[in-house]
Amino acid sequence: MAKNKAAPNRMESIVALCKRRGFIFQAADIYSGINGFFDYGPLGVEMRRNIKDAWWRDMVHRRDDMVGLDSSIITHPQVWQSSGHLDGFSDPMVDCKKSKNRYRADQLFFAKITVSGETLGYVSVMESETMEEDARKAADKLARKAGHAKADDFTLRDYTEADPSEYELIPSPATGEPGSLTPPRDFNLMFQTYIGALRDENAVAYLRPETAQGIFINFRNVTDSGRVKVPFGIAQIGKAFRNEINPRNFIFRSREFEQMEIEYFISPDEDVWPKIHRDWIETRLNWFESIGLPREKLGEDEHPKEKLAHYAKACTDITFEFPFGVQELEGIAARGNFDLTQHQEGSGRPMDYFDEARKERYVPHVIEPSVGVDRIFLALITAAYEEEELEGDKRTVLKLHPRIAPIKVAVLPLVKNKEPLVEKAQSLYRRLQRRWNVFYDASGAIGRRYRRMDEIGTPFCVTVDFDSLEDGTVTLRDRDSMEQKRISEEDLLVYLEEQIDP
RNA sequence: GCGGGUGUAGUUCAGUGGUAGAACACCAGCCUUCCAAGCUGGUUACGUCGGUUCGAUUCCGUCCACCCGCACCA
């Protein structure tokens, strides 16, 4: 993972641009901010919508085998019990302040060592096959130091069972010295909340850490109410929340983010999933390319078998070369029928599907393409950002795809103190505004206005000048090439439609 | 969460134990017949709380946030 030396500066410039032009703000920055949360400004919200709309249109509307869903954010706790998130997301951790090592508290074992009832101290070992012997050796060593042959028998307990008074006395496995271990701290990655006005412990619920489970728990609702037939997919766009231990890299890893997930249900035959898995990888790569991510910055990272969850058949990440390194953009997992089976057991409701063609029942398997809106946003904006040198002049430009750009067209009267120009420009502006998010700007020199639009990624500028009053043509200026051509209003509309709504 | 660094207009930077200036940006007006640079005027800042002090943006501490490493990332 080669790191670009200029990367930090590039990231800083992009973050500054996002703030300056109203794409992304630090959340609650008037109160000095809140770590891991972001607010999207007037341009950011447009771009976000464009990403989601493009995804929904291409993955749902333009396919025959997909339907949508919007499930609730606050979710029944049993959903997370069944899915495994409740257990998997809440490991208490212990830090050694001296060695800077971090341990899972339930994997760190300790014992109080005594000889004839007299306390000598504590020993600690990491969970392993030989931990009993290791602890015995350490205990006897402690005993010999104190002039005894052998320590009393002892029982190992894990660190979560330690009494708070013992934290100071248990040695760190790294240093062998006590006093450097912190109390076990819960790293519960799910946001907890309470349903109802009273804080009743029985009313605990969770903000979803992923949208996918909302799809699984509605599987029967969708198959019972729609006319879907395997293979088919359910798509969902929505916010998800994770208590990331350390959010980093701007919006790349944040605590509140938005996912676009698909659960694509397929037959359980073993020869089926590899091809469909592969198809989805290709579909998604092509989609990324279609919205303006350069192919050479996209990559595939296939998880090795031994790193997969026990139920998973395969998982391939689509990666992207961010300024801070190559990172995961989308995960495409073949999850077998683990989730439906879990919910079938957890809820007691059948999750099987009757395949009319095959005249048999089965619990479908699933391919899960899962991507973050915010990560796509960051990928797009970092890929689009350019600082160009133009004959001693500098131009900052966001080369965003017209489909993604927050403002599609700027309408500019060449000068603003000539009434007929302003009138004509405004009427064109009103006309385009019915269709797209467009912008009218009359202030300042024309070149300055072009550059302002470059910086926020507006792909087209249309300038109304004195010839426009004579023959009805306008100047169309292209953001990337900076070239201009004259075009009639009617041709302009056709051209813009082709470019903006492919 | 640990270690290091940082925190002054929107941005990039000055500066001082006696409460601050610039450039660019932005807004208004004038000018302007196609690529940021004209004229006039204007808005905007010492992250937070506390301590020391007659007085703190400045010194000290706390918290918050950001950046860089490490760890973490089901």
Side-chain angles (χ1 to χ4, degrees):
Chain A
M1 199 186 298
K3 280 207 173 171
N4 183 351
K5 286 270 189 255
N9 282 335
R10 185 180 167 79
M11 256 331 269
E12 275 174 37
S13 306
I14 291 167
V15 173
L17 172 68
C18 283
K19 180 177 185 186
R20 179 157 39 93
R21 292 305 190 183
F23 283 90
I24 300 170
F25 309 117
Q26 164 95 55
D29 65 347
I30 62 168
Y31 293 106
S32 92
I34 176 164
N35 186 270
F37 295 90
F38 295 91
D39 295 341
Y40 285 81
L43 294 180
V45 71
E46 294 293 337
M47 184 160 151
R48 235 160 170 287
R49 288 180 65 115
N50 293 341
I51 293 167
K52 291 192 277 183
D53 287 350
W55 186 87
W56 194 264
R57 183 165 290 271
D58 292 342
M59 295 301 125
V60 183
H61 290 174
R62 289 180 180 173
R63 293 179 63 116
D64 303 324
D65 56 352
M66 294 285 298
V67 294
L69 180 78
D70 194 343
S71 67
S72 71
I73 287 173
I74 293 179
T75 322
H76 198 294
Q78 281 183 14
V79 172
W80 309 113
Q81 190 72 58
S82 297
S83 70
H85 287 79
L86 210 47
D87 295 328
F89 258 56
S90 58
D91 302 325
M93 306 292 284
V94 189
D95 288 307
C96 169
K97 286 181 282 195
K98 225 174 230 157
S99 68
K100 310 300 178 206
N101 283 336
R102 169 169 288 171
Y103 307 98
R104 271 178 55 174
D106 59 350
Q107 293 175 353
L108 174 58
F109 287 81
F110 74 98
K112 190 198 244 184
I113 305 303
T114 58
V115 170
S116 318
E118 184 197 343
T119 302
L120 294 182
Y122 285 79
V123 297
S124 65
V125 289
M126 293 303 298
E127 182 171 38
S128 71
E129 307 233 321
T130 61
M131 67 180 183
E132 298 279 351
E133 300 162 38
D134 296 344
R136 185 79 238 175
K137 279 183 202 161
D140 289 343
K141 195 174 165 190
L142 208 59
R144 282 195 299 276
K145 248 186 178 169
H148 305 277
K150 207 171 178 317
D152 298 345
D153 285 345
F154 54 84
T155 48
L156 283 173
R157 291 178 289 157
D158 80 50
Y159 199 78
T160 59
E161 300 169 281
D163 186 87
S165 64
E166 294 179 306
Y167 298 151
E168 280 289 297
L169 306 172
I170 298 169
S172 159
T175 64
E177 298 292 323
S180 65
L181 293 179
T182 63
R185 284 176 287 206
D186 259 332
F187 280 64
N188 194 330
L189 298 190
M190 279 200 292
F191 281 86
Q192 207 178 57
T193 189
Y194 299 88
I195 297 173
L198 292 174
R199 262 196 164 227
D200 183 343
E201 285 304 316
N202 294 323
V204 168
Y206 297 92
L207 272 55
R208 62 184 177 200
E210 61 170 39
T211 58
Q213 297 304 324
I215 297 178
F216 291 121
I217 62 177
N218 279 289
F219 175 72
R220 285 296 302 268
N221 288 335
V222 173
T223 53
D224 289 354
S225 60
R227 297 169 59 192
V228 291
K229 285 193 174 67
V230 170
F232 75 99
I234 303 177
Q236 175 163 220
I237 300 178
K239 290 275 179 112
F241 306 83
R242 295 181 194 181
N243 258 319
E244 296 290 352
I245 294 168
N246 193 353
R248 276 283 168 94
N249 289 327
F250 198 33
I251 57 171
F252 181 79
R253 176 173 289 128
S254 53
R255 291 187 163 127
E256 173 176 338
F257 57 102
E258 190 150 33
Q259 291 186 307
M260 303 193 291
E261 292 196 293
I262 293 167
E263 298 300 340
Y264 194 78
F265 298 98
I266 58 176
S267 90
D269 300 340
E270 269 309 306
D271 56 341
V272 169
W273 71 262
K275 182 182 180 304
I276 296 180
H277 185 236
R278 188 69 235 164
D279 284 350
W280 272 109
I281 295 169
E282 296 300 330
T283 298
R284 299 300 304 143
L285 280 169
N286 291 338
W287 187 79
F288 285 129
E289 212 173 341
S290 79
I291 59 166
L293 292 182
R295 190 67 185 76
E296 64 272 17
K297 284 181 186 276
L298 291 162
E300 279 180 48
D301 179 24
E302 194 179 337
H303 292 205
K305 284 268 180 289
E306 61 272 19
K307 282 197 148 185
L308 293 174
H310 64 93
Y311 52 81
K313 296 183 177 301
C315 184
T316 299
D317 287 344
I318 294 178
T319 60
F320 184 76
E321 190 186 329
F322 288 94
F324 45 85
V326 174
Q327 298 283 347
E328 176 193 340
L329 187 59
E330 171 157 355
I332 302 173
R335 295 176 63 83
N337 62 5
F338 175 77
D339 301 276
L340 285 182
T341 307
Q342 287 295 109
H343 288 300
Q344 183 166 275
E345 285 172 17
S347 68
R349 304 294 184 88
M351 292 294 161
D352 54 354
Y353 164 86
F354 184 69
D355 191 319
E356 302 278 355
R358 296 167 46 157
K359 307 286 182 212
E360 64 171 327
R361 290 196 165 275
Y362 53 78
V363 178
H365 285 221
V366 77
I367 304 292
E368 178 189 87
S370 167
V371 66
V373 175
D374 313 84
R375 286 191 179 183
I376 297 176
F377 192 113
L378 188 59
L380 286 167
I381 212 157
T382 58
Y385 183 86
E386 276 186 33
E387 291 174 4
E388 295 178 345
E389 295 294 333
L390 309 166
E391 295 166 25
D393 191 15
K394 203 183 86 172
R395 180 171 89 121
T396 303
V397 54
L398 287 184
K399 296 189 168 174
L400 294 170
H401 190 285
R403 225 178 151 185
I404 297 301
I407 295 171
K408 311 299 185 191
V409 187
V411 181
L412 319 167
L414 186 58
V415 295
K416 74 169 169 183
N417 59 355
K418 299 288 187 293
E419 192 57 29
L421 283 190
V422 171
E423 261 174 38
K424 187 159 180 62
Q426 281 188 336
S427 102
L428 177 60
Y429 167 63
R430 292 290 169 210
R431 189 170 172 193
L432 296 177
Q433 192 182 39
R434 298 177 67 85
R435 224 27 230 270
W436 297 294
N437 190 37
V438 298
F439 187 73
Y440 176 82
D441 189 4
S443 73
I446 188 72
R448 173 192 291 275
R449 282 178 272 162
Y450 285 152
R451 298 300 177 85
R452 270 201 288 248
M453 287 299 118
D454 290 341
E455 205 180 29
I456 60 171
T458 306
F460 309 109
C461 289
V462 175
T463 302
V464 175
D465 62 13
F466 293 91
D467 289 350
S468 310
L469 301 177
E470 302 294 319
D471 62 11
T473 64
V474 293
T475 303
L476 175 66
R477 183 260 194 185
D478 180 80
R479 176 196 63 202
D480 298 343
S481 65
M482 297 171 68
E483 277 167 10
Q484 308 183 3
K485 63 179 176 191
R486 293 207 74 85
I487 187 168
S488 74
E489 265 193 48
E490 293 319 309
D491 289 347
L492 174 71
L493 285 164
V494 173
Y495 177 79
L496 290 177
E497 184 169 310
E498 282 169 1
Q499 296 294 312
I500 298 167
D501 305 315

